[in-house]
Amino acid sequence: MTTAPSARTGRGSPGRHRKVRANADPDRSSRGIVGWSLGVSAVSTIMMTLDITIVLVALPAIREDLGLTLSGSQWVINAYSLTFASLMLAAASLSDIIGRRTIFLIGHVVFLAASIGCIVTGSEAGLIAFRALQGAGGALVFGTATPLLSDAFSPDDSAKRTKAVAAMMGIGGAASAFGPLIGGALVETGQWKWIFAINIPIGVLVILATLFCVPDLHRRGDPSQQKVPRVAPFAMVLTVGALVLVNYGIIDGENRGWTDHAILAALIAGVLLFAALILWEINKKDAAMVDFRLFRIPSFATVTFNAFASRMFSFGMLPFLVLWMSGQLGLSALEIGYVASGLAVPMIIFSAVGIRAVTWVPVGWVQAVGMVVVAAGLMLGLRLDASSGWQTLLPMLVVMGAGTGLMLPHVMSLAVEVVPASRTGMASGLANTALPLGTAFGVAVYGAYLANKVGSGLDGLPIPDQFRDVAQEAAEAGQFRAIAEQSAPLAQQSLQFFLDGLHGIFIIAAVLALVGALASVVFIRKPAERNLPAGE
């Protein structure tokens, strides 16, 4: 009788076993679980962020194969960016209800199916549609990658969890920056469809690793302690509708005419939907999917603007530089990737400088200096002329990359430091969403401006009517060599109109950067602002 309890204890009684799991949670303390969670999250982050920029250098090859127009090229990029940004905030809420691993896996399946669709489609419309579906899958994956990784750590391992999440985000940022180089290598060694085919084996491996090696630890917690948020399908519809309609109006406005009924209807409807979204979400207060009250905190509003602007004046303008390098300079996809790495390498190097700089200089000033450096780099772009080669462009990219690197490391940390502790998840989600939105709106606005410059210039030339539309489409796509086969003088004039458009884009972006610099100095203040404005 006296030895029975000892024997049972040695085998482990059910009651004691449950107590140990509740307190120690061996699943979360397992290095294997942490390692696999970090692995699948990091690889997934690379895949989803890479697909925003990897397609840039493939645009000329896709244009030749599918006959993309300038607006079609813009939509190939923006279809992904818009659905990615629109659904990312909702993904986190869905993951808390359905299960983080479940949403993570669903996102990968959708992303893989869309990647296959991008490969097999033979039309511009089909590619754009599958790119949008890719973005939806990417949002589900990216929106749950960080929570899935965080769940692998016990509450006592907050420092390790922070380091792991920071490492994952840093890897994703590097992948995004090197997207053009990776895309160029894939296109050069195969064809443009390889940039989508590479997703298939990687995605299958991630799905299998997640199924067999990463438990859904979020679902294993005490249900009574879990806060289940509400999904806001109406807010999701308003968000997607507003972004798509405004982008459609901006991208197709130049071709169809700004007074075209469809364009006016799209722009007006987009603005109205966005206004309705703000009113709807403000009334929901703490239950909102997008808490617009956070933008009344000056530091948060400024740092979110900086995140948006940083992508708008980098990856938002890169497609048009790619068209120039391909159409005028005749660079291959890989060569374009090498030149584009002039933006990526300094961005990574100066990120370390920016991180160290805040030990001596207030973070608002570091942000401001970064923005001013970017503006200086953009002004170097005004040196581009009809006789310029890639060597003229490189200093501009290097200086811009250095300035962006200085400011970007602090965007996410500032976003969560200046808001109430209960809204840090919302703040990081909004700051993350601002990045792809900056790319999308840069592509849309700059493309419309460039098309207007080229179109206005060609309208003043005596071009035969039967050749005018073809000439404008070729000029907008940077195909000056094709124009030269018909008329060398017209090719030179078209190139000058295109360069005038690029110069205007550089000036617009520089002004945007200087506005961000001024706002950073005036408005960015650290944790003193952690409360929402009075009355909220």
Side-chain angles (χ1 to χ4, degrees), residues 291-535:
D291 193 345
F292 286 101
R293 297 176 300 169
L294 295 180
F295 290 100
R296 297 182 63 183
I297 301 174
S299 291
F300 178 78
T302 301
V303 77
T304 306
F305 171 82
N306 287 352
F308 178 89
S310 70
R311 283 293 188 261
M312 192 171 180
F313 54 54
S314 55
F315 298 129
M317 72 167 58
L318 199 54
F320 312 107
L321 297 177
V322 168
L323 293 177
W324 173 73
M325 286 188 280
S326 172
Q328 172 61 16
L329 305 185
L331 298 185
S332 68
L334 182 58
E335 289 170 333
I336 292 172
Y338 284 137
V339 176
S341 66
L343 178 69
V345 173
M347 193 181 297
I348 293 172
I349 293 174
F350 278 85
S351 290
V353 177
I355 291 171
R356 293 293 302 273
V358 294
T359 59
W360 303 292
V361 183
V363 66
W365 282 93
V366 174
Q367 291 268 296
V369 169
M371 286 288 198
V372 171
V373 172
V374 167
L378 288 161
M379 290 297 95
L380 290 175
L382 299 180
R383 298 164 58 237
L384 288 181
D385 57 32
S387 62
S388 295
W390 62 267
Q391 298 89 341
T392 308
L393 179 65
L394 193 58
M396 166 189 161
L397 296 178
V398 170
V399 175
M400 283 180 58
T404 305
L406 285 174
M407 53 161 292
L408 268 185
H410 309 292
V411 166
M412 208 59 58
S413 60
L414 271 172
V416 299
E417 285 177 358
V418 299
V419 302
S422 61
R423 312 308 283 163
T424 55
M426 173 72 67
S428 64
L430 287 172
N432 263 321
T433 302
L435 296 171
L437 281 183
T439 298
F441 274 89
V443 170
V445 172
Y446 296 150
Y449 179 86
L450 184 63
N452 178 265
K453 275 290 187 181
V454 172
S456 298
L458 293 178
D459 285 343
L461 299 179
I463 304 173
D465 291 339
Q466 66 271 21
F467 185 55
R468 181 177 296 277
D469 290 342
V470 176
Q472 178 163 347
E473 184 176 315
E476 290 174 353
Q479 297 303 304
F480 308 111
R481 296 185 177 188
I483 299 174
E485 294 176 1
Q486 302 295 324
S487 171
L490 179 58
Q492 286 297 314
Q493 290 171 309
S494 299
L495 172 59
Q496 190 57 55
F497 297 146
F498 189 92
L499 289 172
D500 289 343
L502 284 182
H503 291 169
I505 289 172
F506 299 155
I507 293 171
I508 293 170
V511 171
L512 197 66
L514 292 176
V515 170
L518 180 61
S520 297
V521 172
V522 174
F523 295 118
I524 290 183
R525 299 288 184 272
K526 288 187 72 174
E529 298 182 36
R530 291 187 71 94
N531 294 319
L532 287 173

Side-chain angles (χ1 to χ4, degrees), residues 227-249:
K227 294 181 179 180
V228 180
R230 297 179 181 178
V231 176
F234 185 62
M236 291 169 58
V237 170
L238 290 176
T239 302
V240 175
L243 292 175
V244 170
L245 286 172
V246 170
N247 261 259
Y248 168 74

Side-chain angles (χ1 to χ4, degrees), residues 181-192 194-195 198 332-334:
L181 181 59
I182 297 170
L186 291 172
V187 173
E188 190 78 6
T189 55
Q191 52 179 314
W192 65 264
W194 282 36
I195 64 176
I198 194 67
S332 68
L334 182 58

Side-chain angles (χ1 to χ4, degrees), residues 119-143:
I119 295 170
V120 302
T121 187
S123 67
E124 176 182 297
L127 182 61
I128 292 171
F130 283 117
R131 282 286 288 168
L133 190 60
Q134 263 195 322
L140 295 180
V141 173
F142 193 84

Side-chain angles (χ1 to χ4, degrees), residues 40-370:
V40 299
S41 298
V43 171
S44 300
T45 299
I46 290 172
M47 289 176 65
M48 303 312 145
T49 54
L50 194 62
D51 260 60
I52 296 177
T53 57
I54 195 173
V55 75
L56 293 176
V57 296
L59 286 176
I62 299 174
R63 184 199 62 78
E64 290 181 10
D65 197 8
L66 301 183
L68 290 184
T69 61
L70 177 63
S71 63
S73 299
Q74 292 171 272
W75 275 115
V76 167
I77 300 169
N78 280 8
Y80 184 94
S81 298
L82 289 176
T83 52
F84 186 92
S86 302
L87 300 177
M88 192 159 57
L89 283 173
S93 295
L94 284 171
S95 72
D96 283 339
I97 297 173
I98 300 174
R100 288 167 181 171
R101 192 181 71 157
T102 301
I103 293 298
F104 183 80
L105 290 169
I106 290 173
H108 267 293
V109 171
V110 171
F111 187 81
L112 282 181
S115 296
I116 294 171
C118 290
I119 295 170
V120 302
T121 187
S123 67
E124 176 182 297
L127 182 61
I128 292 171
F130 283 117
R131 282 286 288 168
L133 190 60
Q134 263 195 322
L140 295 180
V141 173
F142 193 84
T144 52
T146 299
L148 192 70
L149 175 58
S150 297
D151 287 341
F153 294 88
S154 68
D156 296 333
D157 289 335
S158 59
K160 292 180 181 179
R161 179 174 60 246
T162 300
K163 289 181 181 179
V165 172
M168 185 189 74
M169 297 303 296
I171 291 170
S176 179
F178 281 104
L181 181 59
I182 297 170
L186 291 172
V187 173
E188 190 78 6
T189 55
Q191 52 179 314
W192 65 264
K193 294 183 179 180
W194 282 36
I195 64 176
F196 302 116
I198 194 67
N199 293 331
I200 298 172
I202 297 175
V204 169
L205 289 175
V206 169
I207 289 173
L208 292 176
T210 304
L211 282 172
F212 292 105
C213 303
V214 181
D216 197 347
L217 294 170
H218 175 68
R219 280 303 187 197
R220 294 192 182 182
D222 183 357
S224 65
Q225 300 299 318
Q226 295 178 9
K227 294 181 179 180
V228 180
R230 297 179 181 178
V231 176
F234 185 62
M236 291 169 58
V237 170
L238 290 176
T239 302
V240 175
L243 292 175
V244 170
L245 286 172
V246 170
N247 261 259
Y248 168 74
I250 295 173
I251 290 176
D252 284 19
E254 179 59 30
N255 290 333
R256 296 179 64 105
W258 295 105
T259 57
D260 181 86
H261 293 310
I263 298 300
L264 287 175
L267 291 172
I268 293 171
V271 171
L272 290 176
L273 285 178
F274 188 68
L277 172 68
I278 294 175
L279 292 175
W280 175 266
E281 294 294 88
I282 285 179
N283 287 334
K284 295 180 70 175
K285 296 187 177 180
D286 289 342
M289 186 184 79
V290 182
D291 193 345
F292 286 101
R293 297 176 300 169
L294 295 180
F295 290 100
R296 297 182 63 183
I297 301 174
S299 291
F300 178 78
T302 301
V303 77
T304 306
F305 171 82
N306 287 352
F308 178 89
S310 70
R311 283 293 188 261
M312 192 171 180
F313 54 54
S314 55
F315 298 129
M317 72 167 58
L318 199 54
F320 312 107
L321 297 177
V322 168
L323 293 177
W324 173 73
M325 286 188 280
S326 172
Q328 172 61 16
L329 305 185
L331 298 185
S332 68
L334 182 58
E335 289 170 333
I336 292 172
Y338 284 137
V339 176
S341 66
L343 178 69
V345 173
M347 193 181 297
I348 293 172
I349 293 174
F350 278 85
S351 290
V353 177
I355 291 171
R356 293 293 302 273
V358 294
T359 59
W360 303 292
V361 183
V363 66
W365 282 93
V366 174
Q367 291 268 296
V369 169

